[in-house]
Amino acid sequence: MVSLTGIAMTAVLCDLWAERIPNAVIAAGLAMGMIYQLFEEGPLGLILFLGGALLPLLLLGGLYFFRMLGAGDIKLLCVAGGFFGPAGVFVCLMRSLFAAGVLSLLILYRHHELGERLGYFLRYVSDYAKSGQWRPYLDGVKENARFCFSVPVLIGILLSF
């Protein structure tokens, strides 16, 4: 699992520095995950790899659609799923979401913006429910409202070993 940690750390550094995770990092991680699963589980490993790599895409596709989560973050979770398999990536995803919630609350509290952000979220949901028209979630919000989700994904990965 050293290779998964290395891929995740590389992804976080790229995300923090360039605000994107290069597809080459994702491709390398997926290849390593498939090799790992085949080495550990034999032919069954391919099924575990595919199930684990596809589950985050299925579960988080809606968040990407509303631009609440970036494609790179989902792809990084797909890499984790390639290593962990479906059950393991589900646990990793839950831990990542919990870490994201805690980090978000700490950031919002520190910047005294908790009420403002909750109000924005409720207005967003209300606008969507009334109009049926979607717009990217972070349209028109301050730059400091953006959150690098790859950091909680790394935390979730580390907590899942």
Side-chain angles (χ1 to χ4, degrees):
M1 293 297 187
V2 171
S3 49
L4 174 58
T5 303
I7 288 289
M9 291 174 73
T10 302
V12 167
L13 291 174
C14 290
D15 201 10
L16 290 171
W17 186 51
E19 296 183 355
R20 62 179 304 274
I21 300 171
N23 284 334
V25 173
I26 299 300
L30 288 171
M32 285 189 256
M34 185 170 60
I35 291 166
Y36 171 79
Q37 285 290 2
L38 288 170
F39 183 75
E40 289 292 314
E41 302 294 335
L44 174 64
L46 186 59
I47 294 169
L48 293 172
F49 167 78
L50 290 172
L54 292 175
L55 188 62
L57 186 62
L58 295 172
L59 295 177
L60 301 174
L63 293 179
Y64 173 74
F65 177 79
F66 288 104
R67 300 300 188 261
M68 294 176 165
L69 199 58
D73 303 318
I74 295 172
K75 290 186 281 187
L76 181 57
L77 280 161
C78 290
V79 169
F83 280 88
F84 290 138
V89 77
F90 185 78
V91 170
C92 177
L93 174 60
M94 293 299 109
R95 290 174 177 162
S96 298
L97 291 172
F98 182 76
V102 170
L103 290 172
S104 296
L105 286 174
L106 290 172
I107 291 168
L108 291 172
Y109 178 77
R110 183 171 184 266
H111 292 282
H112 307 288
E113 294 181 352
L114 184 59
E116 179 183 335
R117 293 302 306 156
L118 286 174
Y120 179 84
F121 175 73
L122 293 174
R123 282 189 305 279
Y124 180 86
V125 170
S126 174
D127 290 348
Y128 180 74
K130 288 176 188 172
S131 70
Q133 300 281 325
W134 78 270
R135 61 181 169 77
Y137 180 70
L138 293 176
D139 265 4
V141 299
K142 295 182 275 185
E143 188 62 33
N144 70 349
R146 301 188 184 277
F147 184 77
C148 189
F149 189 70
S150 61
V151 173
V153 171
L154 174 61
I155 293 169
I157 288 169
L158 294 173
L159 292 174
S160 296
F161 288 127

